[in-house]
Amino acid sequence: MKQITGIPVSSGIVIGRVFRLGRAEQRVPHQRIEADEVSVELQRVDEAFAEAIEDLESLRDRSRIQLGEEPAKIFEFHMGLLKDPSLRKPIEDRIRNELVVAEWAVADEFRIVADRFSSMGNEVFAQKASDIIDLDRRVLDKLMGEDTSRLASLDEPVVIVAHELTPSQTAGMDRSKILGFATDLGGRTSHVSIVARAVDIPAVVGCKNLSQIVENGDWIIIDGDAGTVIVKPSDDQLEAYRDRQSIVTTYREKLRKTASGEAATTDGVRISLLGNIEFPDEIPSVLENGGEGVGLYRTEFLYLTKGHEPTEEDHFEAYRTAIEMLKGRPLVIRTQDLGADKYTQEQAEEPERNPFLGCRSIRYSLQNLEGFKIQLRAMLRAAVHGPIKIMFPLVSTVMEIRQAKMLLADVAEELAEEGIPHGTDVSVGMMVEVPSAALMARAFSSEVDFFSIGTNDLIQYTLAVDRGNERVANLYTGASPAVIQLIKSVIRAARRRDVDVSLCGEIAGEPIYTMLLLGLGLRTLSLVPTQIPLIKTVIRTVTIEHCERVARKVGTFDSERQVLNYLRDELRKIDPGSPGGWTAD
Ligand code: PEP
Ligand code: MG
């Protein structure tokens, strides 16, 4: 038995068998095989090399056409290396003699060759070393890519353990095949975690070296509320967790029954609870959980699952579907928030060194106008079918919002000239998720119809803490007095100009913050759909007067510890006894 405590990111308990999902960039496990498995491993090496050579052939042909003969020679050279028996033979020998998996033999042999080149201390050989590393990735990708197809053909559901997952891998998870997941890396608001909550798959991230210590088929327990992961649990542990699993399920069902109806405080102040979605097919979940509409539609997921630039029709169909499903209820569509941990780095020849501070979100859109305009056209065309609002992400300067609005006006003019029906009176808003935008909220308030405060990023940029880095996860918190002060000043600036303001970061779905947010003056929250019943329950238990008192008190604290302890105590006072859910932070 081995127990690891990671970061709980998606609620629920699962018990199942491990499926290790590999990625070429991660360290390859030193896994042994039986003597009768040697021929299978040799065959895998054969196929992986053949596929890698095939890829290189087409890359060579393409670059010959696009770039000329000289650059194409690089691929020719790489193909030569892969065909060279002096590279291949030692790999096969190690599988036969040391009885190790193909991945290990390949990775270790390539490493030996690369080290040999780099120790020769001359630039030409150093280049050869990096060629070898590149080839190593290519072959390993082929070997480990098999996991995805193996996963698709499983007949019993499994628990995924991986070093790291991408948001698109998580979004593509089939609920009937995947019970839950645990990863070595990640933080509470990394997009992988957000998607896990959206698709309601229990998950724990930041589990250090978990993926190195599990083997396929091991029994594992994942507690997405406490952050506990137990590998090879004892019978007693299994029994205890099965009991807890049924208590949590019953509690969630009970909450869900109270999902419909208004969210109003006991003194009659109505709060609007909307859902955050990544795909239109999450809308039924928003409505079943008692949401009044969609406050944040993260459209970039269209790119993530398609793996290429969506066409205008792809966009249009997605937005029209969402509008039709909502039947006149609110829908805030956010323009593409690509970059950072989403899409562009995987596509880039040269990934950015610091992508969260790089060409992300609105910056990326304004540098890639063609794709951006396609999206804006589709949004305006979809607006004919129902009420939508358009929102721009990660705005950090007034110039950016002006440019974005100008483009929207250009697109509307083009549509008018082409005689294509489109919305003419669409509300335009921006996310406030960068300190510069929060501090200048007053200036921004004369540019837009509404603000939506995105605390996931606002926390990361205010505190200089990467939202996806488990090593600094203890520093990442919405209870920071600095963050709370920024939220407060945005609300104040919005009120002065009569600009609508809401909050759509993950803290909107965390009950510990509900009283504070209402007390600060927020009346619209957008959150992960499955948390709506719980937040509604909290709202129905409190008065606004009490919430304002809570917010005033929080304003007197200067450390996040004090804020958290106080908010936890306040929540405990009104919690009628839930199994862990209410007080989790
Ligand atoms: C946020 O930053 O709070 C937000 C809602 O946007 P995302 O999580 O998609 O970055
Ligand atoms: Mg954000």
Side-chain angles (χ1 to χ4, degrees):
M1 190 278 288
K2 173 109 190 154
Q3 183 161 331
I4 286 182
T5 304
I7 305 165
V9 296
S10 182
S11 173
I13 291 168
V14 289
I15 302 168
R17 287 191 188 271
V18 167
F19 184 96
R20 285 185 77 257
L21 198 57
R23 278 190 67 197
E25 297 91 82
Q26 79 183 74
R27 261 189 64 209
V28 176
H30 191 182
Q31 226 165 302
R32 303 211 153 264
I33 53 168
E34 300 296 327
D36 60 0
E37 291 170 317
V38 166
S39 59
V40 176
E41 292 305 291
L42 291 177
Q43 167 101 16
R44 291 182 63 220
V45 172
D46 233 22
E47 285 167 7
F49 269 71
E51 283 174 30
I53 290 172
E54 223 173 89
D55 286 356
L56 286 166
E57 264 167 5
S58 48
L59 277 171
R60 178 203 52 194
D61 295 347
R62 213 178 326 142
S63 78
R64 195 173 272 154
I65 297 165
Q66 292 171 352
L67 306 168
E69 198 58 50
E70 214 40 51
K73 280 192 185 146
I74 298 169
F75 298 112
E76 197 78 55
F77 169 64
H78 282 189
M79 281 157 61
L81 283 174
L82 284 188
K83 287 177 184 165
D84 186 347
S86 68
L87 184 69
R88 181 81 161 267
K89 189 162 176 306
I91 293 173
E92 294 170 351
D93 287 348
R94 291 188 67 172
I95 293 176
R96 279 193 206 97
N97 304 334
E98 295 175 24
L99 297 178
V100 287
V101 284
E103 285 89 336
W104 177 263
V106 167
D108 213 39
E109 270 311 309
F110 273 79
R111 184 188 54 75
I112 291 170
V113 178
D115 285 353
R116 208 178 294 145
F117 280 130
S118 28
S119 67
M120 291 179 182
N122 120 1
E123 222 172 273
V124 178
F125 287 119
Q127 176 54 43
K128 278 204 166 46
S130 81
D131 286 332
I132 294 288
I133 293 165
D134 188 19
L135 287 176
D136 174 38
R137 294 241 168 86
R138 243 176 226 295
V139 177
L140 281 179
D141 260 341
K142 294 294 169 197
L143 282 170
M144 296 172 119
E146 293 170 359
D147 287 351
T148 317
S149 46
R150 260 196 308 137
L151 184 61
S153 59
L154 282 177
D155 18 273
E156 94 174 316
V158 290
V159 176
I160 300 274
V161 175
H163 183 57
E164 188 177 19
L165 291 169
T166 62
S168 41
Q169 274 176 315
T170 319
M173 280 183 180
D174 174 354
R175 278 298 266 127
S176 65
K177 295 236 164 73
I178 293 160
L179 298 167
F181 72 80
T183 57
D184 297 347
L185 306 186
R188 187 159 170 78
T189 63
S190 30
H191 285 103
V192 168
S193 309
I194 289 174
V195 176
R197 289 193 280 281
V199 291
D200 204 12
I201 291 182
V204 177
V205 302
C207 300
K208 294 140 201 132
N209 63 342
L210 175 70
S211 72
Q212 307 276 318
I213 59 170
V214 294
E215 304 233 354
N216 274 328
D218 280 349
W219 278 101
I220 192 167
I221 297 174
I222 289 187
D223 182 340
D225 294 300
T228 315
V229 175
I230 306 174
V231 185
K232 296 190 195 149
S234 65
D235 288 346
D236 287 349
Q237 282 172 320
L238 278 172
E239 198 183 319
Y241 272 91
R242 284 204 178 102
D243 287 349
R244 213 176 121 61
Q245 201 176 23
S246 84
I247 293 170
V248 172
T249 313
T250 316
Y251 178 69
R252 286 180 86 184
E253 275 162 14
K254 194 175 121 200
L255 271 182
R256 191 106 166 220
K257 287 202 183 106
T258 63
S260 60
E262 291 203 321
T265 56
T266 53
D267 49 350
V269 176
R270 262 192 52 71
I271 309 297
S272 178
L273 293 182
L274 305 164
N276 291 350
I277 62 163
E278 286 69 36
F279 301 99
D281 64 10
E282 290 170 64
I283 290 174
S285 162
V286 174
L287 302 179
E288 281 159 27
N289 280 295
E292 293 170 28
V294 169
L296 168 64
Y297 174 7
R298 293 183 165 100
T299 58
E300 61 276 6
F301 279 81
L302 207 57
Y303 294 72
L304 305 190
T305 43
K306 283 206 173 303
H308 62 77
E309 294 266 326
T311 62
E312 186 177 322
E313 282 320 294
D314 290 334
H315 282 291
F316 175 71
E317 277 313 316
Y319 308 151
R320 198 185 54 182
T321 308
I323 290 167
E324 281 170 1
M325 286 169 117
L326 283 164
K327 299 192 173 75
R329 297 181 183 91
L331 171 60
V332 181
I333 310 183
R334 179 175 78 180
T335 62
Q336 55 195 26
D337 185 1
L338 296 169
D341 58 351
K342 285 184 264 174
Y343 188 73
T344 56
Q345 300 304 306
E346 294 154 42
Q347 310 298 317
E349 283 212 350
E350 174 122 27
E352 290 175 283
R353 280 181 295 275
N354 212 343
F356 273 94
L357 298 180
C359 188
R360 189 194 157 186
S361 275
I362 192 74
R363 302 171 185 176
Y364 180 85
S365 297
L366 292 173
Q367 285 187 26
N368 293 274
L369 290 183
E370 208 181 318
F372 192 31
K373 280 174 106 174
I374 285 176
Q375 176 170 43
L376 295 177
R377 273 176 74 94
M379 285 180 173
L380 288 181
R381 282 176 53 207
V384 172
H385 298 273
I388 62 161
K389 292 180 181 180
I390 295 179
M391 175 159 77
F392 297 109
L394 209 86
V395 175
S396 59
T397 69
V398 170
M399 276 317 285
E400 278 168 344
I401 191 73
R402 288 190 187 145
Q403 264 177 288
K405 283 194 319 185
M406 219 147 66
L407 273 170
L408 190 64
D410 284 352
V411 165
E413 211 174 291
E414 278 167 27
L415 288 168
E417 275 166 17
E418 291 165 40
I420 298 173
H422 61 280
T424 49
D425 192 21
V426 179
S427 282
V428 173
M430 61 179 262
M431 299 217 32
V432 180
E433 47 187 350
V434 181
S436 62
L439 291 165
M440 296 299 289
R442 210 162 152 188
F444 282 102
S445 65
S446 47
E447 299 288 337
V448 291
D449 300 314
F450 66 94
F451 287 148
S452 185
I453 304 173
T455 45
N456 302 341
D457 279 312
L458 189 60
I459 296 169
Q460 115 164 314
Y461 294 124
T462 305
L463 304 179
V465 178
D466 179 347
R467 65 194 265 188
N469 183 345
E470 65 292 341
R471 293 193 211 178
V472 284
N474 60 327
L475 297 173
Y476 182 96
T477 172
S480 145
V483 173
I484 295 167
Q485 244 182 64
L486 286 179
I487 297 176
K488 204 155 129 184
S489 67
V490 175
I491 297 170
R492 198 181 309 132
R495 275 194 182 148
R496 275 214 191 108
R497 288 254 181 185
D498 226 5
V499 162
D500 285 342
V501 57
S502 59
L503 187 143
C504 64
E506 293 302 299
I507 65 170
E510 293 175 22
I512 195 164
Y513 293 105
T514 310
M515 283 186 264
L516 171 64
L517 298 180
L518 302 194
L520 290 173
L522 287 163
R523 296 293 176 265
T524 304
L525 300 175
S526 191
L527 54 147
V528 57
T530 48
Q531 285 296 97
I532 293 174
L534 182 54
I535 299 302
K536 210 179 251 192
T537 309
V538 177
I539 292 170
R540 286 171 173 165
T541 318
V542 298
T543 63
I544 282 293
E545 200 201 326
H546 179 70
C547 295
E548 285 170 350
R549 237 181 298 128
V550 167
R552 272 197 301 277
K553 183 79 182 164
V554 165
T556 66
F557 296 137
D558 53 18
S559 86
E560 39 289 314
R561 232 340 83 217
Q562 282 172 303
V563 174
L564 268 184
N565 287 342
Y566 173 71
L567 290 180
R568 199 172 280 132
D569 286 347
E570 284 300 304
L571 187 63
R572 261 194 209 117
K573 284 186 204 157
I574 60 164
D575 180 359
S578 61
W582 275 44
T583 43
D585 169 43

